Amino acid sequence: MTDATVSTPVPTTGLEPAPEPASSSRAQQRKARKNAAKDPKRKITWDRVWAQRALLAMAVPLLLYQILFKYVPVYGWAIAFQHYKPGRGSIWNQQWVGLENFYNLFTGVNGERFRQVVVNTMGQSVLTLIVGTFGAIVLALLLNEVKNLPFKRILQNITYMPHFLSWVIVASLASVALSLPSSGGFINQGLMSLHLVDEPVLFLTEPNYFWEIVAGTSLWKELGWNTILYLAAITAIDPGLYEAAEVDGAGRYRKMFSITLPSIRPTIVVLLIINSGWILSTNFELPYFLGNGLVSEKSETIDVFVLRYGYQLGNYSLAVVAGIFKTIVAVILVGSANLAAKRLNQETLV
Amino acid sequence: MKRNLRLGGLRRAGRQLTVAATAMALIALAACTEDESTDDSDVLSPSNPTTLSVWITSAQQAPAPDNKISKLLKDKLGVTLTYEIVTPDNEDQKIGVMLAGGQYPDLIGTGDLKQRFLEGGALRRLDDMLETGAYPNLAAHVKDDIKKMSYSGDEVDKGLYIFPNYNRFYGDITGGTYYGPAFWIQKRVLADAGYPDLSNMTLDRYFQLISDYKAKHPQTNGAPTVGFEILASKGREWGMTNPPALLAGSPNNGGVIVDSNNNASIYADKDVAKNFYKVLNQQYSAGLVDRESFTLTFDQYTAKLATGAVLGMHDQGWNFGTATQSLQSAGKDENTYVPLMPVYDGVTPWYADRPVMNINQGFGVSVSSKQPKKALKFLDTMLSEEWQKTLSWGIAGEDYQVGADGVFSRTDEQRKNYKDITWRSHNRLDALLDMLPKHQGKFSDGNAYSPDDQPAEFYATLSDYDKNFMEKYGKKTWLDFMNKIAENPKYYPAWNIKLSDAANQVNQQVTDTSVQNLPKIIAGKPADFDKNWQAYVDSLHKIDVKVYEDAVNAGIKNRLANW
């Protein structure tokens, strides 16, 4: 991000004439930026830095924040190579054990379990991400077509609301909804009254349903919230495009597929890239609250595993090893998502 | 020009800010240094008020701000307590954070079997302080059992750090309630079966009683009657894993059975376990075991018991007190539970043990306390008989009466208050008392430590239904339904032996494997039982169980040599 600030000054600073002709099309802007980057005259010089000092100064606090809270704490990774016991004052006053903790996590019984929790984490996250993104786009498109404003507002508010419930509550609601009819399980009640099943299904005891339950519950909670960004992107579309399409005789569906969707494509891609970094880090609450022994082979995620085998057993070193693993995988995931987007000639982050 | 002026103004402002900040920092520093001075007095008096911070792991609630005992502490001793109360479920996470911070309240009340505060150097070694003679109650309290109570590991100096919060007894053990493990059964089931003889109970007879009753009464208050509930929620998996040892006549040693040569080994993969789960499997397919057992959280489990629809379960008495209380207050005494002791053929039951001292759980004085002597004096004062009576019975004349013969008793109103949670928060310090060392057993005047233990009070508080029920069986207390309590083995119990990290991890792996496999075995088709059992045993044998067994055996040897 800082890179971008340096190479393309925001025109409104008034420190320099705007380098690019004003243009409304994103594609043109991108092209201009690319050219600019190649232009030898646009090299970073001390003069330019000085000219932009106000902007750079504004970036300093953020930079400090990043360094202080994201890079400095990395020294704590040392714990991964120790037999760490808390309360000894400094983390350098510990017994060093080399790679023992790595062997412990990646081999033997723990290794088997850890491989399983990595698969579960990815499976649940990817499914949640796909279902969530798809659902949010569809809902955003549908909401955009609602022309009665009060009705649209009500719809939006209703779909947002679950976002403000905590996961504990959502998990309890889900577990009641999925339980036996005698315990208030209305899903089973519905299925039975529709004669789709003869006997109530114990959803939460069947491992193979668990990923879907997680994805479905997250969808219910976050659907409305996730549409906000897409709706915002849709409102930014030039109404002239729709008018022109109408003149050309395009109907509602044509406009949706040929104007709305392509216009929000960059938003979709950027959100997907950002979210891919969280694939190993999300999904603690639902697996923790909804999981049980019967489904743990499909429910336990990395964070739940780390909580149980790391923090609760007081084995902080193991938790740090898992943390390092997660960081490395996250960097790889974001990098490759970004690369893939670049290949597809899409908007990218870096 | 204009811009420069403004910048100049900013700079000036900046300088002023710097000066102000420096001044503040200096003041803060001064304040800190002042704070550093330790308070070396051990006198608690109203003329010299003291504030003690206490950290407590307890399921009990914090006292109300206008609590009358809090006021008494302030008036008589000048002590104000500031509480931080953590529920046992959240203790693990909280301990790590506190150790990382290195700052502790004056008194730490921990329930942590892994002894992380102790080994993390958060607690002060107390032997020397006790030897000064300034703390007579505590000194007398620990004198006979100091070896058991002391830390014997290698992480910090060996010695006394924590005063056990329960089961250090003075004189005879009194009391009529049973808090240990049992197969519980609703009283209405036994009443309906005509109060059958309960001796020589077996699993088959236990389930037969339940099955007969369920066939006759498929509904309870409009809800389907549940035959048998399995407790398997997180952290309480013992509800599902511990029964085999008890059925085999071994006292509760946790995950191991200790043989007559004091040699411990796990039983999860042995026949004693296989036979039990085979019965459960058959009962499950017969529809007696609740299908929802394995997905219930502890709260849901408690709520289910509180509906009164559950006929039986394996549990420990202390674990479902809330459910019993709510059944009692709803007047459903026939839906409360009696402990039974099914065993395998030819085995003598050993369910009830001598209450085990809660070593490693209770209050210690923190190393960062600036007034350690006062903190210890507070514990000592609280252990005096006078304060113990106040904490446990209440205020004489207000919460109980002293008879002409010196025997304590209560009116019905006072008994009702005692059970009322809201009343308790205004009139008792339950959370504090939960962690304090106690004068359990008898006071020097012959009264029992608490109303629950006073024989006359115990009987008087029984409902008419319960009195009648006991009469039918010719028993006077619930404890009478259990085996005669034998002397505990010297090392007992194995479940509170402090384990290494590696052994803890293996123990967790065994529990996880059980939690993952046992529900499948129980809920599976009876025809698949052998196959499912074999899969379970195979995955158990992949775990390095010996690490755990060796650690337990080392602990047992250590105790046999030192206790």
Side-chain angles (χ1 to χ4, degrees):
Chain A
M1 288 306 279
T2 27
D3 191 8
T5 336
V6 174
S7 62
T8 59
V10 185
T12 47
T13 50
L15 296 169
E16 219 187 327
E20 293 148 2
S23 87
S24 57
S25 149
R26 273 172 167 275
Q28 253 174 305
Q29 262 183 15
R30 198 162 54 231
K31 210 176 280 170
R33 206 186 299 158
K34 256 183 201 159
N35 288 343
K38 280 175 201 151
D39 192 343
K41 268 186 280 178
R42 315 250 345 142
K43 258 195 344 200
I44 302 166
T45 62
W46 284 114
D47 278 353
R48 283 180 54 77
V49 169
W50 180 245
Q52 293 170 9
R53 61 189 182 278
L55 289 174
L56 289 173
M58 277 187 255
V60 166
L62 264 181
L63 203 65
L64 281 180
Y65 168 82
Q66 289 289 332
I67 291 173
L68 198 59
F69 291 104
K70 304 283 175 189
Y71 289 94
V72 172
V74 170
Y75 79 89
W77 281 11
I79 290 173
F81 305 94
Q82 301 169 337
H83 186 66
Y84 180 78
K85 290 259 172 193
R88 286 191 184 157
S90 144
I91 77 161
W92 308 116
N93 183 23
Q94 301 280 347
Q95 185 194 341
W96 294 86
V97 295
L99 293 177
E100 194 187 294
N101 296 309
F102 289 81
Y103 286 121
N104 184 8
L105 183 63
F106 295 120
T107 60
V109 179
N110 271 354
E112 219 168 274
R113 204 174 177 94
F114 191 69
R115 275 191 289 282
Q116 207 167 20
V117 302
V118 170
V119 171
N120 289 341
T121 313
M122 292 206 163
Q124 290 175 20
S125 292
V126 170
L127 199 63
T128 307
L129 188 59
I130 292 172
V131 172
T133 307
F134 187 75
I137 293 169
V138 170
L139 184 67
L141 289 177
L142 292 177
L143 277 175
N144 189 43
E145 297 299 321
V146 177
K147 297 301 176 205
N148 180 339
L149 215 58
F151 180 59
K152 182 177 170 181
R153 293 249 166 83
I154 291 172
L155 265 186
Q156 251 182 304
N157 278 326
I158 291 175
T159 48
Y160 279 3
M161 269 175 200
H163 171 79
F164 297 101
L165 295 176
S166 86
W167 279 110
V168 192
I169 295 169
V170 175
S172 316
L173 289 176
S175 81
V176 170
L178 294 164
S179 62
L180 293 176
S182 59
S183 315
F186 60 82
I187 293 181
N188 269 317
Q189 227 154 15
L191 288 176
M192 279 165 70
S193 60
L194 290 172
H195 296 290
L196 288 171
V197 293
D198 300 327
E199 223 178 84
V201 186
L202 281 170
F203 290 102
L204 287 173
T205 60
E206 176 50 60
N208 291 326
Y209 293 157
F210 198 82
W211 292 6
E212 286 82 354
I213 290 172
V214 167
T217 312
S218 310
L219 180 71
W220 179 82
K221 184 176 187 288
E222 303 295 352
L223 180 62
W225 186 257
N226 287 342
T227 56
I228 294 180
L229 280 169
Y230 295 115
L231 279 174
I234 289 174
T235 34
I237 300 171
D238 185 355
L241 291 172
Y242 289 110
E243 283 159 26
E246 258 166 58
V247 171
D248 288 344
R252 277 197 161 187
Y253 290 108
R254 173 90 348 237
K255 281 191 284 181
M256 210 189 266
F257 285 109
S258 299
I259 300 175
T260 318
L261 266 180
S263 305
I264 62 170
R265 199 168 58 180
T267 314
I268 298 173
V269 173
V270 167
L271 285 179
L272 275 177
I273 295 174
I274 293 177
N275 285 331
S276 63
W278 294 107
I279 277 184
L280 288 191
S281 309
T282 45
N283 280 340
F284 168 72
E285 291 90 349
L286 277 181
Y288 183 70
F289 292 120
L290 288 182
N292 56 65
L294 266 179
V295 296
S296 65
E297 60 193 86
K298 290 282 180 184
S299 72
E300 192 159 274
T301 56
I302 298 180
D303 287 352
V304 177
F305 174 85
V306 165
L307 176 79
R308 284 162 21 76
Y309 277 82
Y311 297 113
Q312 291 185 348
L313 288 185
N315 193 347
Y316 300 94
S317 301
L318 196 75
V320 176
V321 175
I324 294 176
F325 173 81
K326 268 170 57 178
T327 308
I328 293 171
V329 175
V331 168
I332 294 173
L333 282 175
V334 175
S336 29
N338 201 52
L339 203 71
K342 225 179 229 167
R343 285 274 156 77
L344 297 167
N345 200 18
Q346 288 290 353
E347 197 80 11
T348 57
L349 275 181
V350 198
Chain B
M1 273 315 280
K2 217 175 175 187
R3 197 207 265 167
N4 273 343
L5 265 178
R6 236 211 243 116
L7 272 179
L10 268 178
R11 265 188 212 120
R12 222 170 297 133
R15 215 169 293 143
Q16 278 162 0
L17 270 177
T18 322
V19 173
T22 320
M24 297 247 294
L26 280 176
I27 293 167
L29 260 178
C32 281
T33 16
E34 210 169 295
D35 222 11
E36 287 300 314
S37 69
T38 49
D39 182 346
D40 208 28
S41 122
D42 62 4
V43 183
L44 300 169
S45 83
S47 56
N48 181 19
T50 311
T51 301
L52 288 171
S53 49
V54 290
W55 188 90
I56 291 171
T57 308
S58 173
Q60 302 285 349
Q61 56 183 345
D66 64 343
N67 185 288
K68 78 174 175 197
I69 310 292
S70 295
K71 194 168 169 298
L72 202 65
L73 284 176
K74 178 122 187 110
D75 293 346
K76 285 204 170 167
L77 302 174
V79 171
T80 309
L81 297 176
T82 55
Y83 293 92
E84 185 177 353
I85 298 173
V86 177
T87 59
D89 296 349
N90 292 326
E91 191 187 13
D92 279 328
Q93 282 98 309
K94 190 73 194 170
I95 289 177
V97 174
M98 286 175 68
L99 283 172
Q103 279 299 317
Y104 313 100
D106 293 311
L107 288 166
I108 302 178
T110 165
D112 180 29
L113 289 179
K114 301 187 193 89
Q115 302 184 19
R116 276 168 287 184
F117 279 122
L118 209 171
E119 297 200 331
L123 299 179
R124 189 180 275 269
R125 189 163 163 261
L126 300 169
D127 306 58
D128 297 346
M129 288 171 80
L130 287 186
E131 271 169 27
T132 60
Y135 313 96
N137 297 320
L138 288 173
H141 191 72
V142 303
K143 202 171 135 253
D144 293 340
D145 298 299
I146 189 131
K147 277 183 184 161
K148 271 192 192 182
M149 295 179 183
S150 292
Y151 175 74
S152 60
D154 301 320
E155 294 286 338
V156 288
D157 294 343
K158 297 184 196 332
L160 182 73
Y161 292 83
I162 297 173
F163 300 105
N165 58 344
Y166 282 102
N167 298 347
R168 186 290 189 210
F169 287 96
Y170 291 79
D172 292 341
I173 300 176
T174 56
T177 317
Y178 177 60
Y179 294 105
F183 280 79
W184 302 81
I185 199 163
Q186 282 190 339
K187 288 164 193 162
R188 58 174 175 159
V189 178
L190 296 180
D192 192 74
Y195 304 100
D197 179 26
L198 300 177
S199 53
N200 301 321
M201 184 53 64
T202 62
L203 271 183
D204 289 341
R205 276 183 67 206
Y206 176 77
F207 280 109
Q208 194 58 48
L209 283 167
I210 287 176
S211 142
D212 289 349
Y213 187 86
K214 189 169 182 249
K216 262 198 246 174
H217 306 272
Q219 298 271 317
T220 303
N221 306 322
T225 304
V226 174
F228 187 77
E229 192 68 56
I230 298 171
L231 167 66
S233 62
K234 279 183 202 107
R236 292 180 163 87
E237 295 88 355
W238 41 258
M240 179 166 63
T241 57
N242 276 4
L246 296 163
L247 289 166
S250 156
N252 178 16
N253 267 320
V256 293
I257 288 180
V258 183
D259 65 19
S260 49
N261 299 324
N262 293 320
N263 195 21
S265 52
I266 67 158
Y267 53 84
D269 56 345
K270 308 286 188 313
D271 276 348
V272 289
K274 187 177 177 182
N275 295 337
F276 171 62
Y277 297 112
K278 188 158 187 141
V279 172
L280 274 192
N281 179 231
Q282 285 156 357
Q283 300 300 344
Y284 187 95
S285 68
L288 274 196
V289 178
D290 186 14
R291 288 180 68 198
E292 284 193 308
S293 288
F294 310 113
T295 55
L296 293 182
T297 63
F298 178 60
D299 291 343
Q300 289 168 328
Y301 168 83
T302 307
K304 205 155 198 174
L305 294 191
T307 64
V310 179
L311 300 180
M313 72 281 175
H314 170 265
D315 199 345
Q316 305 204 10
W318 53 268
N319 192 44
F320 61 98
T322 333
T324 306
Q325 273 167 23
S326 80
L327 284 169
Q328 280 171 342
S329 55
K332 296 183 191 164
D333 287 296
E334 73 277 15
N335 297 50
T336 55
Y337 297 90
V338 204
L340 299 187
M341 311 179 286
V343 280
Y344 293 133
D345 285 341
V347 171
T348 319
W350 194 345
Y351 278 67
D353 50 16
R354 258 187 109 71
V356 169
M357 204 188 298
N358 257 12
I359 50 168
N360 305 325
Q361 305 186 49
F363 272 124
V365 178
S366 84
V367 287
S368 54
S369 172
K370 302 284 183 295
Q371 40 189 359
K373 288 189 176 173
K374 275 189 172 173
L376 196 62
K377 189 70 192 174
F378 174 71
L379 293 183
D380 187 67
T381 312
M382 288 301 104
L383 192 55
S384 66
E385 290 208 6
E386 182 202 346
W387 276 102
Q388 284 288 302
K389 284 173 188 166
T390 309
L391 290 165
S392 167
W393 282 84
I395 295 173
E398 219 170 288
D399 303 321
Y400 67 96
Q401 277 67 243
V402 185
D405 50 358
V407 175
F408 295 177
S409 66
R410 295 178 301 175
T411 63
D412 284 343
E413 175 70 22
Q414 287 162 343
R415 285 175 194 139
K416 218 179 102 224
N417 284 341
Y418 187 79
K419 286 186 177 173
D420 181 344
I421 295 175
T422 319
W423 183 89
R424 289 177 81 102
S425 80
H426 291 279
N427 296 282
R428 295 177 60 85
L429 296 178
D430 284 330
L432 179 73
L433 184 59
D434 197 16
M435 273 298 152
L436 281 175
K438 300 177 198 35
H439 199 289
Q440 275 172 286
K442 278 183 182 159
F443 290 119
S444 50
D445 59 11
N447 282 298
Y449 158 74
S450 89
D452 300 323
D453 304 335
Q454 187 91 324
E457 273 299 309
F458 171 79
Y459 194 72
T461 50
L462 288 177
S463 68
D464 290 341
Y465 182 93
D466 282 351
K467 278 179 190 161
N468 175 50
F469 186 90
M470 285 210 197
E471 213 166 287
K472 294 276 191 226
Y473 277 105
K475 316 238 181 202
K476 291 219 165 54
T477 68
W478 302 120
L479 257 181
D480 290 344
F481 283 82
M482 303 313 290
N483 53 288
K484 261 199 105 55
I485 297 177
E487 202 56 50
N488 288 336
K490 198 176 174 192
Y491 67 83
Y492 189 78
W495 58 261
N496 65 7
I497 288 173
K498 159 83 173 61
L499 301 172
S500 66
D501 283 355
N504 269 326
Q505 183 171 302
V506 170
N507 189 18
Q508 182 72 46
Q509 286 169 344
V510 171
T511 306
D512 277 355
T513 309
S514 304
V515 169
Q516 215 164 326
N517 284 275
L518 289 178
K520 283 181 204 158
I521 292 169
I522 296 166
K525 287 196 201 89
D528 292 341
F529 178 81
D530 285 318
K531 196 186 75 190
N532 291 339
W533 179 260
Q534 198 51 47
Y536 170 48
V537 172
D538 288 345
S539 53
L540 274 178
H541 288 169
K542 266 191 229 158
I543 302 167
D544 198 355
V545 178
K546 203 164 173 313
V547 172
Y548 172 67
E549 289 175 341
D550 287 351
V552 173
N553 279 319
I556 290 176
K557 282 218 177 63
N558 184 18
R559 285 179 176 187
L560 289 174
N562 293 313
W563 277 15

